[in-house]
Structures are given as structure tokens and as C-alpha cells.
Amino acid sequence: MSPKKTIHLIAAARPNFMKIAPLYHALSREPWANPVIVHTGQHYDTNMSDAFFRDLLLPVPHYHLGIGSGTHAEQTGKVMIAYERLLNETRPDLVVVVGDVNSTLACTLATVKIRYADRPSGGGRRFPLPGNVNRAIRPLVAHLEAGLRSFDRSMPEEINRIATDTLADILWTPSADGNENLLWEGVSREKIERVGNIMIDSLEMMRPKIEKIRMAKQYGLEQGTYGLVTLHRPANVDEPAQLRAICTALEKITQTFPLVFPVHPRTRKQLEQNGYWQVLAQIPNLFLSEPLPYLQFMSLVFDSRLVITDSGGVQEETTYLGIPCLTLRENTERPITVSEGTNRLCTVETLLQHIAKATASKERRSRKPLLWDGHTADRVVASIQQVLLDAKEVMLD
Ligand code: UDP
């Protein structure tokens, strides 16, 4: 059998860690695979990064590019430069990028360009696009969580999604809308595979630990009696008028309904700069905290009555758990959470009405989307095996 196949798993920021963890663990069990974690360092605080490696039982990243914060162009450019060097040194067979952060696009760009450099005479003509996955080229790029679209190009994440999906060789989607979006954009059908939602694998993998923690008790709260809040999208927190309106709404809500609010560093900075942090900190029934590690956060989600958020991942986790989710956004790249799940888009003006409706109803509507079943990593491993190993090797395994 040929040497093990080296597979880079790119992790950059909080929402990435729960997407690479199940895949890392599944690949580690395969005799033919050498999974390598590359942390680009977009999130670097202990409670935005290290805590997740611990909670999700991941090893220390094999490589850390240490990029840190910066403008979008600075971050994307720095990751490309550093990752190109690593690609030259380590020559992986496959690069797996996840989600929609700047590193997702930067590592995709660095990879698809470096393999051209490997073939001085061939150039791009050898890799017709769109087309079948060319199993001979190295390294291949696969995008996990492909095809999601908010159709809102003012979101930096949307730009990262579109550009990554245009360039990647293998597109693993979480839901049917992902396949439809890609086909509509002209991507070849052969490159697309619906594998399900990998975040649900992390949730199920860690469920016994999550259920033991009972984090709400630490705030003196009972199961099903409080709301959980997460906010960090620029449209909500970088606009002082919107931030102020949100703070006022949160204060009103807490007059009858306790809220726990683990505050993202970007949001905290804006709250402090605008003088709202001290005001929020004094509101009874509003429990502010640092961003929480995965297990503690998920324990609060599990026991909540409802969630108020602008996070992508939280919309999915609440749909899976059947917990009402009020998303403070005009659109979502995860429409299945609205059509099949518990998610409702709302504005700061309609938030209170939505809360009254959600808390009045006893029903917990829960239709789990197809393939959100905790086995997405297994399907991804099978897909990788098919692309990287020839039929004889697969049979030997
Ligand atoms: N999360 C967490 N602690 C927190 C907030 C979020 O563990 O204090 C987890 C949660 O599982 C969520 C994920 O981080 O789904 C990603 O969250 P984030 O909102 O940062 O990113 P997005 O999904 O919006 O890209």
C-alpha cells in the first residue's frame, strides 16, 4: 500500500473547530490517513480557541500560522503567504477548508495556485473547470459546508463562500439548498456531495459531557426558564444605532425573562466604546459573561427556553435540538433552519413580539433536516477515500 495520505484540516476561528473535530477523529481511525491540523490563528484568545481544542479532544495544532487580527485583505494575504510556505514544505494530498472565514478562502487560493506551479508546461489547461474531480492533481481542495448562500454580498462571509466554492474541487454540502445553489452557479454535479451537517457530529460526540454540566445552575437558573443571547455580526454590533436599539430591547426583555449573554470579543469592544457595557452589566436578570467554551455554551443552549442570535452555527444547533431561535438578521444562508426548523428571522423592532409568541407556545417544533444525524464525518471520510485511494487500495483496507 502506498504511504499514508496527508490531509490538512484548516482551522482558523471559533466556528471552525467544531467542524474539523469530528473529521479529525474519524480520519485518525483510518490506517491510510494522516490528518494534520493547521491553525491559521485568526482567533487566538484562550476562550475563542484553546478551550475548544480541549473540549473537542483535539491535539495541539500540528502547525500554527499565528496570523492574528487585521483587515480582511491583510488577514487573507497573510494567511496565503504563510500557508503557501507550509504547502511547499509539507505537500499534502488534500486540503480541507470549512465554513466561510477569511482563512477558508485564503487557503483555497494558495492551494489551487501552488499546484499549477508544480506543472510548468501544463498550466490551467490540464484542469478544466467545471469538470470531474481530477484525481491526479495534488493537492486537491475540498470545502466542507459548501453551497450556503445568504445572497447578501455585503457580508464578507458570502464573498468567501462564493469564491471558495468556485475554486474547490470537492464540495460537501449540508443541505439540499446547498446543492441547488451550486448547480445554479454552474458547478459540475460530479463535484457536489450532500454529506449533512458536521456540527451535529460534534454535538452528538460531546452530548454526554454537555448533559452533565448543567451550566444554567451556575447562574441560579432553571431549565427552560431563560433565553440565551449571542451577537457578533458587524451589521448588529458595529452600527452604534443598532447596538443601542438591541441593548434597549434586551433590557425590556429581562424585565420578565432572564437572559444569559456570553459576549463575543468584537461585541464587547463595541459595547465598551459606546458606553453600553456598564449599563448592561447593571441590569438584573441579564447575565453577561466571557465567550464560553463549547461544552458550557452547549449546556446553556440545551436548557434554554429560546435563543436570540445572529450566529450561523447557533441557528443550526437550535434547529437540531428543537429550541426556538430568533435570528436578528435580514437573511440567512441556512434557510433550512427556517423552512424545517425552529428559526425565525426578526428585527430588533419585532423581537419582543417574537419572544412573547415563542414563550407562550409549549410546543417544541423539531424536524431534523436529512443527514443531520451525527454521521457526517463518516460520509466525508468515505468521500475522501474514494478520491485519494485507487480502487485496489480501498479494497485492501
Ligand atoms: N459557541 C461557543 N461559545 C460561545 C458562543 C458560540 O461554544 O460563547 C459555539 C457554538 O457552537 C456556535 C459556534 O460556536 O455554533 C460558532 O459560533 P459563532 O457565532 O462564533 O460563528 P458563526 O457560526 O456565526 O460563524
Side-chain angles (χ1 to χ4, degrees):
M1 191 170 155
S2 54
K4 286 189 178 203
K5 305 295 179 190
T6 297
I7 301 162
H8 280 187
L9 304 178
I10 308 295
R14 181 169 73 182
N16 299 156
F17 307 134
M18 53 293 278
K19 292 169 195 163
I20 65 148
L23 188 51
Y24 176 79
H25 294 303
L27 285 169
S28 300
R29 291 191 287 270
E30 297 294 327
W32 52 268
N34 172 32
V36 171
I37 299 178
V38 180
H39 193 327
T40 65
Q42 245 184 271
H43 278 169
Y44 40 84
D45 293 355
T46 304
N47 53 16
M48 294 296 281
S49 177
D50 299 3
F52 289 83
F53 277 73
R54 184 199 61 215
D55 276 10
L56 296 162
L57 311 173
L58 288 170
V60 173
H62 302 86
Y63 297 97
H64 202 296
L65 305 182
I67 298 306
S69 319
T71 66
H72 285 280
E74 279 167 359
Q75 227 174 26
T76 309
K78 279 188 197 164
V79 173
M80 281 185 73
I81 294 165
Y83 189 54
E84 184 183 55
R85 258 184 231 128
L86 188 67
L87 282 168
N88 274 325
E89 281 164 24
T90 56
R91 303 209 147 238
D93 296 283
L94 174 71
V95 175
V96 177
V97 294
V98 299
D100 53 21
V101 297
N102 288 338
S103 300
T104 310
L105 173 58
C107 292
T108 302
L109 273 168
T111 308
V112 296
K113 291 197 160 187
I114 209 158
R115 64 200 188 191
Y116 280 42
D118 275 353
R119 293 161 205 266
S121 59
R125 280 177 293 116
R126 290 197 190 185
F127 315 118
L129 286 173
N132 289 349
V133 178
N134 183 341
R135 291 161 52 127
I137 62 173
R138 291 290 183 269
L140 288 161
V141 185
H143 185 203
L144 180 52
E145 202 185 80
L148 298 187
R149 298 288 181 271
S150 66
F151 302 100
D152 174 1
R153 291 198 182 195
S154 69
M155 288 179 77
E157 296 93 336
E158 182 76 352
I159 306 301
N160 293 337
R161 292 180 200 118
I162 295 168
T164 301
D165 287 343
T166 304
L167 296 170
D169 304 290
I170 305 164
L171 298 160
W172 291 311
T173 65
S175 44
D177 54 286
N179 294 47
E180 283 158 24
N181 292 335
L182 293 170
L183 290 171
W184 189 81
E185 287 170 15
V187 175
S188 154
R189 197 175 287 276
E190 290 74 25
K191 290 182 171 183
I192 308 168
E193 186 176 345
R194 182 174 173 186
V195 293
N197 189 329
I198 193 99
M199 297 233 313
I200 305 305
D201 288 33
S202 274
L203 189 157
E204 285 302 340
M205 181 175 82
M206 304 319 296
R207 185 187 275 273
K209 286 193 177 178
I210 294 168
E211 287 178 342
K212 261 202 205 131
I213 290 183
R214 301 258 87 111
M215 187 67 187
K217 286 240 176 307
Q218 298 199 16
Y219 298 97
L221 297 167
E222 292 299 321
Q223 187 180 18
T225 63
Y226 66 91
L228 178 64
V229 183
T230 81
L231 296 167
H232 70 282
R233 294 250 113 71
N236 279 327
V237 306
D238 291 359
E239 297 288 332
Q242 174 71 357
L243 190 61
R244 188 192 164 91
I246 290 174
C247 292
T248 308
L250 294 183
E251 182 177 14
K252 273 200 193 126
I253 296 162
T254 54
Q255 287 166 11
T256 53
F257 187 60
L259 293 175
V260 182
F261 184 6
V263 185
H264 190 282
R266 168 192 206 105
T267 311
R268 177 154 188 168
K269 193 169 147 208
Q270 293 295 342
L271 287 170
E272 285 178 346
Q273 275 176 6
N274 287 281
Y276 304 146
W277 179 260
Q278 279 313 320
V279 181
L280 290 187
Q282 281 162 20
I283 297 176
N285 257 356
L286 179 61
F287 302 93
L288 300 180
S289 82
E290 295 288 317
L292 292 170
Y294 182 72
L295 299 177
Q296 295 182 7
F297 179 79
M298 288 312 299
S299 164
L300 285 173
V301 176
F302 272 43
D303 286 346
S304 67
R305 182 70 188 82
L306 59 81
V307 173
I308 301 167
T309 194
D310 58 12
S311 154
V314 175
Q315 294 173 55
E316 299 181 328
E317 289 156 341
T318 47
T319 271
Y320 182 72
L321 295 167
I323 291 169
C325 178
L326 303 176
T327 297
L328 266 177
R329 283 177 49 184
E330 287 174 3
N331 51 51
T332 176
E333 62 289 333
R334 292 160 161 93
I336 198 167
T337 59
V338 177
S339 59
E340 296 197 15
T342 51
N343 191 18
R344 295 290 169 266
L345 299 183
C346 59
T347 62
V348 69
E349 290 80 21
T350 59
L351 186 59
L352 277 109
Q353 276 163 263
H354 277 281
I355 289 182
K357 209 164 143 196
T359 49
S361 143
K362 288 242 176 325
E363 182 197 354
R364 283 196 161 194
R365 205 166 55 82
S366 169
R367 195 159 90 206
K368 290 178 182 154
L370 194 71
L371 303 183
W372 293 25
D373 58 1
H375 298 292
T376 293
D378 297 337
R379 289 186 282 273
V380 171
V381 169
S383 171
I384 296 176
Q385 197 166 11
Q386 212 181 21
V387 177
L388 290 190
L389 303 188
D390 66 29
K392 213 167 88 221
E393 284 175 317
V394 174
M395 279 168 63
L396 281 176
D397 288 341

